[in-house]
Amino acid sequence: MFRIGEGYDRHRFEAGRRLVLGGVEIPHTHGLVGHSDADAVIHALCDALLGACALGDLGQFFSDTDPANAGRSSSDFLKDVMVRVRAAGFELVNADCTILTEAPRIAPHRDAMRENLAVRAGVDVDRISVKATRGEGVGPEGEGLALSARCVVLVRSVEGDE
Ligand code: MG
């Protein structure tokens, strides 16, 4: 059996913060504001995975008021979510992530993100897609106020193998 999940996240930009996307630190004048490292790509991917397995959402497992999650690497969240996905009897078939931002340019960092996400999710890199688009100057992303990420995943029931 196959199941689809969708995830979405948006974080606000602030000058002088670290920008971490897909677990990769990207040099930029601004970073994203959040309780953890504010990695919108991983947050969207985790929510897509949890959604496909009907396990809830990321905030349920990693509260943004819990001091233990302050400044935490979202790559840890992805690792934990994959444990939950496998425990529920599913494996990741593929993930397709889209980043919406005016800046910085995503293309030079795309493959590093794919590699990191694949390692954390325990799948081959050819199963992970990262794409980017710009906001054409309108909306919070287009005006450079925020960055958002969307992700769609396909998971497959491991018990359905026979
Ligand atoms: Mg988030």
Side-chain angles (χ1 to χ4, degrees):
M1 186 182 42
F2 291 96
R3 293 168 66 151
I4 291 171
E6 181 250 13
Y8 167 78
D9 195 26
R10 176 156 78 186
H11 283 263
R12 196 163 47 80
F13 272 122
E14 195 174 274
R17 290 181 77 101
R18 281 172 75 218
L19 178 61
V20 181
L21 293 174
V24 174
E25 186 157 350
I26 296 176
H28 189 47
T29 53
H30 291 62
L32 297 172
V33 179
H35 186 66
S36 63
D37 62 3
D39 188 330
V41 176
I42 289 187
H43 295 179
L45 175 56
C46 287
D47 266 356
L49 286 162
L50 292 170
C53 305
L55 290 172
D57 62 42
L58 192 60
Q60 209 172 305
F61 301 111
F62 298 101
S63 163
D64 62 6
T65 54
D66 185 344
N69 295 328
R72 198 160 158 196
S73 167
S74 296
S75 292
D76 290 354
F77 300 165
L78 177 55
K79 235 174 123 184
D80 178 277
V81 164
M82 284 307 300
V83 170
R84 294 174 194 276
V85 166
R86 289 192 192 103
F90 294 98
E91 63 180 16
L92 175 61
V93 176
N94 75 300
D96 184 17
C97 306
T98 303
I99 300 167
L100 175 59
T101 190
E102 202 62 19
R105 284 195 65 233
I106 298 300
H109 311 285
R110 187 202 319 267
D111 286 340
M113 285 186 223
R114 292 177 61 218
E115 281 289 346
N116 181 63
L117 295 174
V119 167
R120 304 288 173 169
V123 297
D124 290 341
V125 70
D126 67 355
R127 291 173 183 255
I128 306 288
S129 157
V130 174
K131 316 191 299 292
T133 187
R134 293 171 61 196
E136 299 294 331
V138 294
E141 292 87 355
E143 291 173 22
L145 303 174
L147 175 149
S148 65
R150 293 168 199 275
C151 187
V152 175
V153 302
L154 188 69
V155 300
R156 174 172 170 270
S157 166
V158 178
E159 293 108 77
D161 270 355
E162 63 280 308

